[in-house]
Amino acid sequence: MPLLLPGILQEKRFQKELKRLGLKKKDIKKIYIANNSILLYLKDESLCRFYPDFVPDKNTIKEIKTVHKYVEKFKKLIEFERQAEISNQEAEIRKLSGKERELIGRAILNLKGNKAGTKFHLYLVRFWREKPIETEISTGDIVLISQGNPLKIDLLGTVIKVTEKTITVAFDKKPPKWIYKKGVRIDLYANDITYKRMEENLEFLRHAQGRQRDLRNIILGLKEPDKAEECDFSLKDTKLNPTQIKAIKLALGAKDFFLIHGPPGTGKTSTLTELIVQLVNQGKKVLATADSNIAADNLILNLSRYPELKIVRIGHPARVMEELEKFSIFALFEKANAAKELFKEWEEVKKLIEKRDSFTKPSPKLRRGLSDEEIIFLGEKRKGTRGISGVTLRSMANWLVLNYQINEKIQALRDKEKAIFNSIILKADVVVSTNSMVQSEFLKDFYFDVAVIDEGSQQTEPSTLIPIMKVDKFYIAGDHKQLPPTILSEKAKELENTLFEKLINRFPELALMLEIQYRMNEKIMDFPNKEFYGGKLKASDLVKNHTLADLGVKSPGKYEKILDPKVPITFLDTSEGNTYEFQPEGSTSYENYREADLVIELTEELCKMGLDKKDIGIITPYSAQVKLIKQILIEKGLKVEVNSVDGFQGREKEVIIISFVRSNEKGEIGFLNDLRRLNVAITRARRKLICIGNAKTLACHPTYQKFIEYIKKKAFMKKCELYFLKLLY
């Protein structure tokens, strides 16, 4: 039986309490900390009988132990992942040349910077070069700027815009002059601030009180959630379908939380938008979040259709889409009348700084041990001392007096700025942010009625917990049948198990799947629908039969059946062509030269047919194959997007070409075994899906065999929509 010490967390108070009880640290076997209390297990449990007033009940014991173990587990996993991301990044920079890192999209070489003005107190620099920029670095990314060796520099910036030949970066401080010279290199960089914020939030969760404690205990299985009952509402978006409307009704009627399961193309964002509008109409203050800046901005894009909503976007202004800047808290701040007065006061501070700097700064060398007070006193007396002339002392005294005034004014101005920022947030109906930014200074002291969290199946549990600890009720949208968050550390693989998936498995009655999809031709949808979604998905009449033929493209000059504009899905089997996989030296990834050639040939032909390059997406599960295909495309001058399956999640194209890569006699398919990867790959295509792979190798896995049989069966039934073809060499 343990002892409970309530309200004691600081080490000194803990030591005093132990001493008062006649105990020492060596008497303690185990400590659990939660709910602003310490739970002690003594080595000699018989001693507990001397402290009957300190023995807690069974429920208290269970809660504190459960919370403590939960927090400590996730803090450890977060640290594993943080270290892995930093070490992986540094190892890659050391291992790969600049050109190799540029090829995989994580570096840009041979740039030259030009001043691009200022915005929101940020210094903008536009880097450019003649050669087109092909990169995975995008708006909102943190980047490392160097003169060639990124490991020898710590100049960080935030990307605000990427064009064909330029990349614009925002700096918090005035950047050095060398960035305006030739030969500048930009590298994608990992920032550990997100990890720190997750850890801070876990500590808050550990000692949560009131409603946050209730939600925490539901998540931890210590408390059961209330049931959801449908709540009627007056529909704003009349285009919503019955399942979307039902999801909103149940969400509005839920007491604790509700989950919206949104398979590909089912209008998840539209559903969340309507839910947010209805919550605001009920007088709720809404916190809308996602793990990425892009998803957060997508929420605003939909919400902005309702001009009556007061929306505020929290976050670094460089990470907000340019067309959405008007919703940024910084843009709203600049428009505030009170802020305009502050600008004048800041100008006065600048003048004071200029005046101060005209006097002698009292450096340690000059002041010779004199305190500020002594310098000011002697300066007023115009007396010299310790070898310092009276003139110098007077100048240093003036510097100190002005410096005090400047610091006081700056602090006063920052307090006024904070009051304006707080006023903007208080007036907002909807505050939009990434999960991480909820833990920033802007929202530190704010709580909301509800949180609407997007990307629930693509974010780690500690990330999802950040907005949850700010509200009385929460909603999460996601699709656990697609890929989970990417975890780098083998020790932290448990982070792949998202809170969305845990809750939907434990409480299916508090979730609803959206059933009408608006992306794919029905023939593309059919297999993933039956395999992953229980056959519940239905294609909207708007997309059910759409094909490339509707876009007016020409007939192909070669690969006629594979590229037939009227055919939505085809498979190019390479099993009889001796097209084996290859593992580059020192790499754990795979590439397949013949498949890469086929991808390029099909891409070239699609372009000749009149399809816009922007409408073609090339997907492959292996980074080595991404690199290989990109290299060939660059050599041929073809600008077509190539990415990993993981990198394409949440995206769509008119045509998707998949290179499965794996081709071996053992039937090994590696991480293609994660069937969510297959689901994501297939469901990116709108009008046409072209698969390239070794059918014999893939068919060693039962689900891939079913996929191949699905295509074979359709062909044997002589349905012209689908073909299964073998390429003979």
Side-chain angles (χ1 to χ4, degrees), residues 16-79:
K16 285 182 180 179
E17 188 66 10
L18 285 180
K19 189 175 181 180
R20 189 177 73 81
L21 294 173
L23 295 170
K24 296 181 179 179
K25 272 196 169 183
K26 65 180 182 180
D27 297 322
I28 300 170
K29 180 181 178 181
K30 186 74 177 176
I31 292 177
Y32 296 94
I33 303 171
N35 294 351
N36 292 304
S37 301
I38 294 177
L39 192 68
L40 297 179
Y41 277 85
L42 302 178
K43 291 177 182 177
D44 184 356
E45 289 190 11
S46 65
L47 293 174
C48 291
R49 69 179 186 273
F50 297 114
Y51 310 100
D53 294 340
F54 291 88
V55 176
D57 59 67
K58 289 182 180 179
N59 288 336
T60 300
I61 294 170
K62 183 180 179 182
E63 182 178 358
I64 290 177
K65 287 180 69 175
T66 302
V67 173
H68 177 93
K69 289 177 181 178
Y70 180 87
V71 170
E72 291 302 318
K73 177 185 77 172
F74 276 110
K75 284 179 71 176
K76 189 179 292 184
L77 293 175
I78 288 168
E79 182 58 23

Side-chain angles (χ1 to χ4, degrees), residues 27 197 200 216 444 475 705:
D27 297 322
R197 286 174 175 167
E200 288 172 5
R216 177 198 72 185
K444 193 173 183 180
Y475 307 100
Q705 184 179 16

Side-chain angles (χ1 to χ4, degrees), residues 242-252 258 260 271 512 514:
T243 53
Q244 290 174 312
I245 294 169
K246 186 176 181 180
I248 296 165
K249 284 183 176 181
L250 287 167
L252 292 173
F258 193 78
I260 297 175
T271 307
L512 188 74
L514 306 179

